[in-house]
Amino acid sequence: MLYHLLYPLSEDISVFNVFRYITFRSIYALLTALIISIWLGPRFISWLKNIKCGQYVQDDGPEHKGKQGTPTMGGLLIAFSMLVSILLWGDLTNIYLWLTIFVFLGFFLVGFFDDYLKVVKKNNKGLRATGKLLGQSVIALGAVSVLLTLPGYSTELLIPFFKGIRPDLYLFYIPFAVLVMVGASNGVNLTDGLDGLAIGPFIVSAACLSVFVYVSGHSQIATYLQVPYIPNIGEVTVFCGAMVGAGLGFLWFNAYPAQIFMGDTGSISLGGTLGFIAVLCKQELLLVIVGGLFVIEALSVILQVGYFKMSGGKRIFRMAPLHHHFELKGIPESKIIIRFWILSILFALAALSTLKLR
Ligand code: 57M
């Protein structure tokens, strides 16, 4: 809105010319979302407490009973701060921006419905895994189908570190891209089991992907770095900025000891959007490095469950996802969280290095 209101004035007042720049608007989108979430946070937490929207903590794992009743569904705060900021700073005529908003809202609804069943309807299991997967897949399928009709998109796959190899997956690209989005959504969801454990690496991954989106939308830089140039996707950097800002604002309250959890409303929507942004800038495979921490957490579950079933009850880890393993080994929660954050920063740096290492 600010972009549409103020940029046209630049003909008379040259200072408004800055609204043309995606970098400028992305930085202010970040700051706006951050300020909104930090300002609203305490009121939102009190409101959640008043309506008794508290987390039910299961007693089958590491000792988390002290966290019983912590307000949850913080994803609502993240979504509100993000969307207000995007509407203020984004170019609302940009199709990629709207597509990203719709994907976010689609995943948001799946997570919200799950939390609603758990928290409001007191059904501790929430939405069934198949129901959740179906919802996530339908949204991802819709998004990928629309994307493939837009200019600059193909079913080719970029291989990190190998600029010359771009295999065409043809129709197989569609299930592959759906898998990337659904996998990212569930990876973030599985990681969200300690204070700040999901949102910290999420912020790092989103910031890292914002660089790829910006580069892909900039014809000169994209040509120089030999990444696919996709006209107009640069605007999604504003979305990323708002997402990072809202994430930082949420972390303010989710930092150990957490005053609020994001719930599935947050983890499913943020993860799915991260996957979509990777698909959007044709960095589907690179997401494995960008979000390496989420991949490790998800792999620990796959290995644990697989081995558990095959061996008739034996385990590789004391408990999956991996953060539970370290908790059960007696490592303090805050130490595990910060070490996982460090890992996520290293993964993001490795991903960024692929811009030059080819
Ligand atoms: C949901 N939810 C957290 C909070 C958060 C297949 C299986 C591995 C699935 C997995 C699972 O259900 N994972 C997804 C994890 C829960 O957090 C809520 O959920 C939202 C995210 N979806 O926003 O609303 C608890 O996590 C803690 N928490 C924090 N701080 C935060 O900022 O401390 C969350 C956010 C909260 C709080 O205690 O209550 C969760 O862990 O339940 N299942 C598991 O993770 C289970 N693992 C398991 O059963 N492992 C087995 C294998 C064979 C499957 C094994 O290794 O033997 C664990 N879940 C629980 N207890 N609750 C087991 C221990």
Side-chain angles (χ1 to χ4, degrees):
M1 237 108 75
L2 287 178
Y3 169 75
H4 297 285
L5 287 175
L6 300 179
Y7 179 52
L9 301 180
S10 62
E11 284 178 16
D12 300 316
I13 310 166
S14 62
V15 70
F16 289 131
N17 205 26
V18 288
F19 282 90
R20 210 181 89 201
Y21 299 109
I22 288 175
T23 43
F24 170 81
R25 288 185 287 115
S26 303
I27 292 169
Y28 280 86
L30 185 158
L31 291 173
T32 306
L34 175 67
I35 292 168
I36 296 176
S37 49
I38 290 188
W39 181 72
L40 268 185
R43 295 159 180 79
F44 182 69
I45 293 169
S46 304
W47 176 69
L48 288 175
K49 280 184 185 158
N50 281 341
I51 61 164
K52 307 222 172 337
C53 188
Q55 179 73 43
Y56 168 76
V57 177
Q58 294 173 37
D59 52 10
D60 55 348
E63 183 51 47
H64 276 206
K65 275 291 163 199
K67 295 171 186 251
Q68 189 73 264
T70 303
T72 185
M73 292 175 90
L76 277 166
L77 176 68
I78 301 177
F80 180 79
S81 326
M82 257 173 74
L83 293 175
V84 170
S85 172
I86 293 163
L87 293 179
L88 280 178
W89 295 101
D91 169 0
L92 303 180
T93 60
N94 185 287
I95 175 101
Y96 299 99
L97 187 65
W98 280 110
L99 193 54
T100 316
I101 293 174
F102 281 123
V103 169
F104 172 77
L105 288 176
F107 279 98
F108 175 89
L109 283 180
V110 176
F112 181 84
F113 188 53
D114 190 27
D115 279 341
Y116 175 81
L117 290 179
K118 281 188 218 160
V119 181
V120 181
K121 293 282 170 198
K122 308 284 175 215
N123 166 1
N124 291 333
K125 295 228 179 296
L127 195 58
R128 280 166 187 242
T130 40
K132 224 188 278 189
L133 270 178
L134 187 71
Q136 290 167 313
S137 306
V138 167
I139 293 149
L141 186 64
V144 177
S145 311
V146 174
L147 209 55
L148 284 174
T149 64
L150 296 176
Y153 281 94
S154 72
T155 49
E156 281 184 359
L157 186 65
L158 254 73
I159 313 281
F161 300 109
F162 297 95
K163 66 179 174 210
I165 309 175
R166 290 187 184 183
D168 197 335
L169 300 187
Y170 300 102
L171 265 187
F172 290 109
Y173 178 81
I174 297 177
F176 168 73
V178 168
L179 183 73
V180 169
M181 291 171 66
V182 174
S185 181
N186 290 317
V188 174
N189 187 31
L190 287 171
T191 307
D192 194 25
L194 296 179
D195 300 352
L197 189 71
I199 197 70
F202 172 80
I203 292 166
V204 174
S205 306
C208 176
L209 274 187
S210 71
V211 175
F212 284 91
V213 170
Y214 181 75
V215 164
S216 299
H218 193 294
S219 66
Q220 280 116 319
I221 307 180
T223 313
Y224 171 67
L225 291 172
Q226 298 183 347
V227 297
Y229 167 56
I230 305 161
N232 301 322
I233 73 156
E235 193 60 33
V236 177
T237 319
V238 178
F239 186 101
C240 293
M243 207 156 65
V244 170
L248 285 169
F250 174 74
L251 178 59
W252 192 268
F253 304 104
N254 181 234
Y256 179 82
Q259 297 157 266
I260 185 170
F261 297 154
M262 67 169 85
D264 282 13
T265 314
S267 58
I268 289 191
S269 57
L270 293 180
T273 310
L274 204 64
F276 176 68
I277 293 173
V279 172
L280 196 68
C281 60
K282 299 293 298 163
Q283 299 294 347
E284 304 89 346
L285 278 184
L286 193 75
L287 186 63
V288 174
I289 306 178
V290 175
L293 187 82
F294 304 124
V295 175
I296 291 178
E297 288 268 46
L299 270 181
S300 73
V301 171
I302 294 169
L303 290 173
Q304 178 91 328
V305 175
Y307 188 68
F308 188 86
K309 283 186 179 158
M310 271 163 43
S311 66
K314 287 190 192 155
R315 288 180 166 82
I316 301 174
F317 306 104
R318 292 191 182 187
M319 185 171 274
L322 196 58
H323 53 264
H324 286 321
H325 172 78
F326 294 117
E327 274 190 291
L328 290 175
K329 281 187 90 174
I331 302 178
E333 178 170 352
S334 53
K335 210 179 201 53
I336 303 171
I337 298 160
I338 291 179
R339 285 184 177 166
F340 276 36
W341 286 358
I342 295 173
L343 270 181
S344 76
I345 293 171
L346 294 178
F347 276 121
L349 291 175
L352 286 173
S353 76
T354 63
L355 281 171
K356 274 292 182 189
L357 277 182
R358 277 145 186 267

